Amino acid sequence: MAATESNRDAQRGASGQKLSFAHRWRGYKAHHRDTLKSSFSKMLSEPLQTMLTTMVIAIALALPATLYLVIDNVQKLGGDIESSTQITVFVRKAAKPEAITGLEGKLKTITGVGAVEYISAQQALLEFKALSGFGSALRYLEDNPLPAVFLVQPLVKDSVDLAQTNKIIEAITALPAVDDVQIDMAWLERLHSLIEMGHKIALALGVLLGIGVLLVIGNTIRLAIESRRDEIIVVKLVGGTNPYVRRPFLYTGLLLGLFGALIAAIMLFSGLQWMSGSMANLVSLYQSQYRLEGLGIAGFCTLMLLGGVFGLGGAWIAVSRHLRDIEPR
Amino acid sequence: MICFDNLSKRYPGGFEALRNVNFKMDAGEMAFLTGHSGAGKSTLLKLLMLMERPTSGNLLINGKNLNRLSNSQIPMYRRQVGVVFQNHQLLLDRTVFDNVALPLQVSGYPASEIGRRVRAALDGVGLLDKEQQNPMALSGGEQQRVGIARAVVHKPRILLADEPTGNLDPQLSTEIMALFRRFQSVGVTVLIATHDINLINRMQLRIMRLEDGELTDDGGGYGGY
């Protein structure tokens, strides 16, 4: 490979450039390094412009990221609550004790079911008497009006899993000796659709602001291209290829995107720190162990990746639109 | 080395800048291209730089037809050519050294090699002590010499100059011409577009005269067309 490259170079050596492939590669790497460095120092030499662009990018990235974090937290909180959701199974009044024992066994074998607790009719009556305050009224009834009850606890999951819960309910309803199954599904469904809507809003906002970031970076790069018009013309005249001309602008876009993402991450982190104090107070009132979830390593990496991609993409759009117009005349 | 074969260039709008131009230059030859402004000198140089494409006819460089080069091959071709501009086209945001280094940087030379060659080129034009200065701090003649150093730093086989002595006094012009002579002596093909009659008369060189896009006089008698 290297041999054919240098062969080709030798033929090209008609141009008076006898460079080996290794030489060329080293020069190429050095050029990338130098371009990165000079893009960086060019950005530092215009601190106000750089800061403004970076802040716009940071805010545009931080907004959907915040929304995403809020939804993420709500979802986790919803998961916590759901795990405390019980399915109440009312047993037929006529069921014999053996049937009840059999039912308990069957309930335990349903997938997705965690704990199963049995409350007999007598226990239910005692509880009712103790808690309701209608105890004396019950004395006038001939027999216990309350059925025996199983409290079924679905297995704890990270997120609201409505389908799973529905499946459990279906399975229980199909069992013999079951009179009725109750769960506060409406609440769960509401939470679920809220989260779904939140996801869609975050996505729509993300797409819109992403386009905004592309435009902002594109415009910054367009101005940079305009201000370096003379340089581009001279570089093209002395044999600079289009990728060579493009490179510094792509690096600038990439750096702007990454800086923006970094600042967005710092914004999110400090916002979270600011809120976590009052959040801790709030959850301690509810005797919950809940803690606010931050971006985490994966979230941070995703944010940086998005910043980089948007930066590079915006620069690419600007460069492919405007560099073509700049040809030596 | 350079061969114009019945070449014409018509611009959109109908203006015919060059009409059926035929000439040849051998490797290591030096010639003047002259004529009034608008006679087609700039167009001819632009064709040689591939800044323009001919409307008809062929332009052969070292036996290769430039019409067959795609746009992506233009940079590679330009690396074989050095150009000295009338307005020298130096970049004022960097030092003399960085200006001269540009053709080597775009070709991917390593830094050590660039340093060596740039200093050799600057030494050749007598400006080695000015390498860290800004071109703005130099006189007109010095700026033009920096432009020449940049044009030859990558050892091109063809050197084109567009009014290289345009704004210079006769003594500086003579110095610049002496520089071109040196490059010619090492085998570079040199084509100088100028309307500086005094300069042309002082030098015993082939003269090609353009009038309204036609080559009317090829003083050197070369070419054979």
Side-chain angles (χ1 to χ4, degrees):
Chain A
M1 189 61 211
T4 51
E5 272 294 335
S6 55
N7 254 338
R8 226 181 300 154
D9 275 335
Q11 284 160 16
R12 220 187 273 139
S15 59
Q17 297 158 36
K18 288 176 182 97
L19 276 180
S20 73
F21 179 68
H23 255 78
R24 238 171 232 280
W25 173 239
R26 241 184 296 148
Y28 183 74
K29 276 198 298 187
H31 166 63
H32 266 273
R33 204 175 47 233
D34 293 346
T35 310
L36 182 60
K37 262 193 243 163
S38 67
S39 294
F40 189 70
S41 57
K42 275 224 169 62
M43 281 167 66
L44 289 184
S45 69
E46 290 172 336
L48 191 69
Q49 172 69 37
T50 303
M51 202 182 72
L52 283 176
T53 311
T54 317
M55 284 310 282
V56 171
I57 296 163
I59 292 167
L61 287 172
L63 278 176
T66 309
L67 193 56
Y68 177 81
L69 275 191
V70 168
I71 294 161
D72 201 37
N73 276 295
V74 167
Q75 200 167 26
K76 290 225 169 72
L77 205 59
D80 274 12
I81 294 167
E82 194 199 14
S83 69
S84 67
T85 311
Q86 287 174 338
I87 301 168
T88 313
V89 182
F90 295 98
V91 182
R92 277 207 188 104
K93 291 219 62 164
K96 299 205 170 71
E98 309 86 75
I100 290 173
T101 329
L103 182 58
E104 184 164 13
K106 276 175 195 153
L107 282 174
K108 281 179 179 163
T109 57
I110 295 170
T111 45
V113 167
V116 176
E117 191 191 343
Y118 177 62
I119 299 170
S120 71
Q122 281 75 20
Q123 273 172 294
L125 190 64
L126 285 174
E127 257 180 52
F128 186 75
K129 272 180 185 168
L131 294 172
S132 69
F134 290 115
S136 52
L138 287 169
R139 257 185 290 157
Y140 298 102
L141 294 171
E142 284 169 12
D143 54 354
N144 182 0
L146 297 175
V149 163
F150 282 103
L151 297 178
V152 174
Q153 195 83 45
L155 277 176
V156 184
K157 282 253 190 148
D158 322 332
S159 60
V160 182
D161 193 347
L162 224 53
Q164 178 75 8
T165 317
N166 270 327
K167 234 184 247 170
I168 294 172
I169 291 169
E170 263 171 43
I172 295 174
T173 317
L175 292 173
V178 170
D179 190 29
D180 194 13
V181 180
Q182 271 188 10
I183 186 173
D184 194 356
M185 291 292 282
W187 185 88
L188 271 181
E189 268 165 23
R190 238 173 281 145
L191 178 70
H192 198 70
S193 52
L194 269 178
I195 286 173
E196 204 168 289
M197 201 170 75
H199 270 302
K200 281 184 184 158
I201 292 173
L203 189 68
L205 199 66
V207 169
L208 277 179
L209 290 170
I211 293 172
V213 170
L214 281 182
L215 293 178
V216 166
I217 291 184
N219 194 49
T220 307
I221 299 299
R222 185 181 64 79
L223 291 175
I225 291 173
E226 229 18 78
S227 73
R228 292 172 73 178
R229 178 177 270 272
D230 293 344
E231 181 186 345
I232 293 169
I233 287 177
V234 173
V235 165
K236 284 195 173 184
L237 277 178
V238 298
T241 57
N242 283 331
Y244 182 93
V245 175
R246 228 180 272 143
R247 218 163 280 142
F249 301 109
L250 295 182
Y251 267 120
T252 306
L254 180 69
L255 286 175
L256 282 174
L258 288 178
F259 280 145
L262 190 66
I263 291 178
I266 293 171
M267 281 176 173
L268 284 177
F269 180 76
S270 31
L272 212 65
Q273 290 297 105
W274 181 61
M275 273 172 53
S276 64
S278 35
M279 185 71 188
N281 273 339
L282 185 71
V283 294
S284 72
L285 293 175
Y286 284 91
Q287 276 104 45
S288 167
Q289 294 296 303
Y290 190 74
R291 280 186 64 245
L292 275 180
E293 292 280 337
L295 268 181
I297 297 289
F300 176 74
C301 292
T302 312
L303 196 62
M304 292 303 280
L305 186 74
L306 282 176
V309 166
F310 279 129
L312 206 57
W316 190 274
I317 292 169
V319 157
S320 53
R321 284 206 41 169
H322 300 289
L323 277 190
R324 224 177 304 136
D325 305 337
I326 303 180
E327 279 291 335
R329 288 272 171 268
Chain B
M1 194 68 198
I2 300 176
C3 175
F4 275 67
D5 171 23
N6 208 20
L7 191 141
S8 297
K9 172 69 185 176
R10 195 197 313 264
Y11 283 105
F15 176 66
E16 218 170 14
L18 291 176
R19 244 194 312 258
N20 305 325
V21 172
N22 287 295
F23 74 87
K24 261 186 192 170
M25 278 181 80
D26 294 328
E29 196 186 340
M30 185 161 163
F32 281 118
L33 180 66
T34 186
H36 298 291
S37 345
K41 299 193 301 283
S42 297
T43 303
L44 198 146
L45 290 183
K46 280 178 181 175
L47 287 165
L48 276 167
M49 278 302 284
L50 275 178
M51 287 155 76
E52 304 276 5
R53 299 277 197 173
T55 314
S56 68
N58 294 311
L59 172 49
L60 280 80
I61 298 295
N62 204 17
K64 269 192 190 154
N65 193 333
L66 293 195
N67 289 349
R68 300 229 178 86
L69 287 186
S70 69
N71 283 345
S72 61
Q73 288 172 306
I74 290 178
M76 281 305 162
Y77 165 72
R78 284 185 184 156
R79 291 176 194 180
Q80 303 179 44
V81 184
V83 190
V84 180
F85 304 93
Q86 179 179 9
N87 52 0
H88 57 73
Q89 297 262 28
L90 297 177
L91 298 172
L92 303 179
D93 62 345
R94 58 195 73 193
T95 61
V96 166
F97 181 97
D98 288 337
N99 267 286
V100 177
L102 206 58
L104 301 176
Q105 280 167 353
V106 304
S107 308
Y109 280 77
S112 55
E113 184 78 3
I114 289 177
R116 204 176 56 74
R117 291 205 187 199
V118 169
R119 292 206 176 85
L122 281 175
D123 195 28
V125 298
L127 288 174
L128 193 51
D129 53 331
K130 308 265 168 135
E131 62 168 324
Q132 288 311 318
Q133 291 201 19
N134 188 289
M136 252 189 300
L138 304 181
S139 70
E142 285 170 332
Q143 288 177 343
Q144 194 60 281
R145 270 143 66 198
V146 175
I148 293 170
R150 186 183 60 191
V152 298
V153 70
H154 55 301
K155 301 202 174 116
R157 308 186 69 188
I158 297 172
L159 182 60
L160 306 174
D162 191 5
E163 303 286 358
T165 58
N167 314 314
L168 304 180
D169 59 50
Q171 198 210 323
L172 280 174
S173 303
T174 312
E175 275 177 40
I176 302 267
M177 293 317 290
L179 267 174
F180 286 149
R181 276 281 200 201
R182 281 230 318 271
F183 297 125
Q184 184 207 359
S185 69
V186 294
V188 180
T189 308
V190 186
L191 181 60
I192 302 159
T194 183
H195 53 241
D196 187 343
I197 301 296
N198 293 330
L199 180 79
I200 294 171
N201 289 342
R202 274 205 307 275
M203 316 244 324
Q204 300 295 311
L205 282 174
R206 174 179 172 191
I207 300 160
M208 291 182 280
R209 192 179 309 278
L210 276 170
E211 260 171 57
D212 291 332
E214 281 182 88
L215 197 60
T216 53
D217 178 21
D218 195 343
Y222 296 83
Y225 284 95

